[in-house]
Amino acid sequence: MTITQEQLRWLEGLIRQDKLVKFYQWCEWRKMRLEALERDHYECQICKRKGRYRRAQNVHHIKEVKSRPDLALTLDNLESVCIKCHNEIHGKEYNLKNKQKPFVNVERW
Ligand SMILES: [Zn+2]
Ligand SMILES: [Zn+2]
């Protein structure tokens, strides 16, 4: 399933207003989310790659909705993950962003 132009404009508006929470409540997303979980047999794909089994409870956008809203409903862009892995993915992103903050004094390194 792909997103329509109309849905894409709505989603871009949510991103601008920082109201993505509405996207996650949207029925079309709930449907896609379930489809991804079923495709992955409710198994965390990140744990699976590490040879572990954990039940997936979240669905992660491989390319973030904020950067690629056009892929928000694309099954290939979705991955079932457990809460722990999901926090790790987003925690890493957060750390990377913090490292790029301008107050870091590069001369110290
Ligand atoms: Zn996991
Ligand atoms: Zn995510």
Side-chain angles (χ1 to χ4, degrees), residues 44-48 50 52-56 80-86:
C44 172
Q45 297 303 292
I46 294 172
C47 287
K48 192 181 175 181
K50 293 175 185 167
R52 291 190 309 233
Y53 172 81
R54 239 191 231 126
R55 193 173 164 82
S80 305
V81 291
C82 67
I83 290 172
K84 190 172 178 284
C85 287
H86 204 203

Side-chain angles (χ1 to χ4, degrees), residues 10-23:
W10 168 74
L11 188 51
E12 282 167 344
L14 293 185
I15 294 166
R16 272 196 302 275
Q17 297 160 51
D18 213 17
K19 283 182 184 157
L20 266 182
V21 64
K22 284 193 183 168
F23 166 74

Side-chain angles (χ1 to χ4, degrees), residues 3 8 11-12 15 64-73:
I3 197 160
L8 186 57
L11 188 51
E12 282 167 344
I15 294 166
E64 267 194 272
V65 178
K66 278 183 188 171
S67 51
R68 292 297 304 271
D70 55 315
L71 297 178
L73 296 180

Side-chain angles (χ1 to χ4, degrees), residues 32-41 59 75 78 80:
M32 278 319 290
R33 182 184 177 279
L34 270 182
E35 230 175 272
L37 284 168
E38 272 162 26
R39 178 201 59 188
D40 297 335
H41 310 284
V59 172
L75 195 57
L78 304 177
S80 305

